[in-house]
Amino acid sequence: MKKITLVIFFFCSILPSFSKEKLVLGTFIIPRYIQSSTKGEFIELTKEISKLSNMDIEIKILPPKRTLLAFTQNEIDGYFPALDALQHGKVNKTSDFYIKEDFIFERKLSSYKKLKTKVRVCLTRGYPYHRKVLNNKDWVISYASSDENCIELVNLNRADIFIGEEITGLAAIKNLNLSNKITYNKFTPISEQSVYFAFPDNEVGKKRSAAFDKALKKIIMSGKYNKLFHLKEKK
């Protein structure tokens, strides 16, 4: 009986070393990419990282500004999608897992470049935009709650242009049945921003960032990344 007790004690004492590291990552809703804490391409990518890095990751959905506040106040262990435009201090960054390209959408047969007045620009509230967009003195910026609302304002000539991502912008145009009225130049994004996972600027954050990088590399090398984001393999 004594031997059995000792064996049980031994296994109980070593179990924690095999348990997964638990961490909470904050994020916010982004059409298509983050639909909920369980749906979206960025969410699926995070799940794959969780498997490969032996981490038990809890995903917490918050408003964008609340996500950043929770991160700076150490209420969460990290957050995504992180961009340099959002940072107010040093962080441990993973490698880029996505490039956020923003495009100019406008009415067909019109050109905002020909306007003699300041350009009326509609942006989606809560989205991280590049500083060159936000600080353009030739633009009068207003915000709407969704890409669809901005597209509608452009169509009604209450805004001259909408700036947004290609995939979500096109999805909004399709949903509104405005493909014959709204256009964009797919070869000239107005801005590009690297997207990554952000962790605190300390040793723990550095360790977790490295673990995420290792998992990201495996995901890319295996071809899972291309499948996840519906990208064609390069031949």
Side-chain angles (χ1 to χ4, degrees):
M1 190 71 176
K2 188 175 181 181
K3 288 183 179 179
I4 295 173
T5 303
L6 287 172
V7 170
I8 292 172
F9 175 78
F10 172 75
F11 278 110
C12 288
S13 65
I14 66 171
L15 275 176
S17 63
F18 293 103
S19 62
K20 290 185 176 182
E21 180 183 5
K22 294 184 178 181
L23 66 156
V24 179
L25 295 183
T27 189
F28 38 88
I29 298 297
I30 300 176
R32 173 175 171 170
Y33 299 110
I34 302 175
Q35 301 171 39
S36 68
S37 61
T38 58
K39 277 186 75 177
E41 290 169 355
F42 288 176
I43 299 297
E44 292 300 323
L45 178 65
T46 306
K47 288 179 182 178
E48 286 294 324
I49 292 173
S50 177
K51 293 176 188 176
L52 294 172
S53 61
N54 196 39
M55 292 183 179
D56 183 7
I57 299 175
E58 177 187 343
I59 297 173
K60 196 170 185 179
I61 302 289
L62 297 165
K65 289 184 179 179
R66 183 69 185 88
T67 299
L68 294 173
L69 183 61
F71 178 69
T72 57
Q73 294 183 346
N74 299 315
E75 295 174 8
I76 53 179
D77 299 305
Y79 82 96
F80 70 99
L83 303 95
D84 288 346
L86 296 174
Q87 303 304 343
H88 297 290
K90 290 184 178 180
V91 296
N92 275 300
K93 306 176 183 179
T94 64
S95 299
D96 304 341
F97 68 83
Y98 187 76
I99 300 296
K100 183 182 186 297
E101 293 184 327
D102 285 330
F103 294 83
I104 290 177
F105 294 82
E106 61 183 334
R107 292 179 300 281
K108 286 187 176 181
L109 304 178
S110 66
S111 174
Y112 73 96
K113 293 180 179 180
K114 295 180 180 179
L115 293 174
K116 295 180 180 179
T117 57
K118 287 192 173 184
V119 181
R120 298 169 299 168
V121 181
C122 186
L123 304 181
T124 302
R125 187 177 294 110
Y127 280 22
Y129 286 94
H130 197 284
R131 290 184 179 90
K132 67 185 285 187
V133 172
L134 299 175
N135 298 334
N136 193 321
K137 295 181 180 180
D138 293 326
W139 293 351
V140 177
I141 295 175
S142 62
Y143 291 88
S145 59
S146 68
D147 290 6
E148 282 84 356
N149 286 347
C150 271
I151 294 293
E152 284 182 318
L153 290 175
V154 172
N155 183 54
L156 295 170
N157 197 25
R158 291 170 59 187
D160 299 309
I161 63 174
F162 158 59
I163 298 178
E165 284 198 82
E166 181 179 30
I167 292 174
T168 57
L170 289 176
I173 291 170
K174 184 178 180 181
N175 291 339
L176 295 169
N177 196 28
L178 291 174
S179 299
N180 62 333
K181 293 185 177 182
I182 306 295
T183 188
Y184 78 112
N185 187 332
K186 66 181 296 182
F187 301 108
T188 56
I190 186 69
S191 65
E192 296 180 357
Q193 298 182 81
S194 298
V195 180
Y196 49 88
F197 292 90
F199 295 97
D201 183 31
N202 54 36
E203 286 302 314
V204 174
K206 185 177 180 180
K207 179 183 175 182
R208 288 172 174 169
S209 176
F212 268 51
D213 265 348
K214 187 176 180 180
L216 277 168
K217 185 176 180 180
K218 289 181 180 178
I219 292 168
I220 292 170
M221 295 298 290
S222 68
K224 285 185 179 178
Y225 180 91
N226 285 351
K227 290 179 181 178
L228 183 62
F229 287 92
H230 310 291
L231 300 174
K232 293 181 180 179
E233 295 282 356
K234 293 183 180 179
K235 295 182 178 180

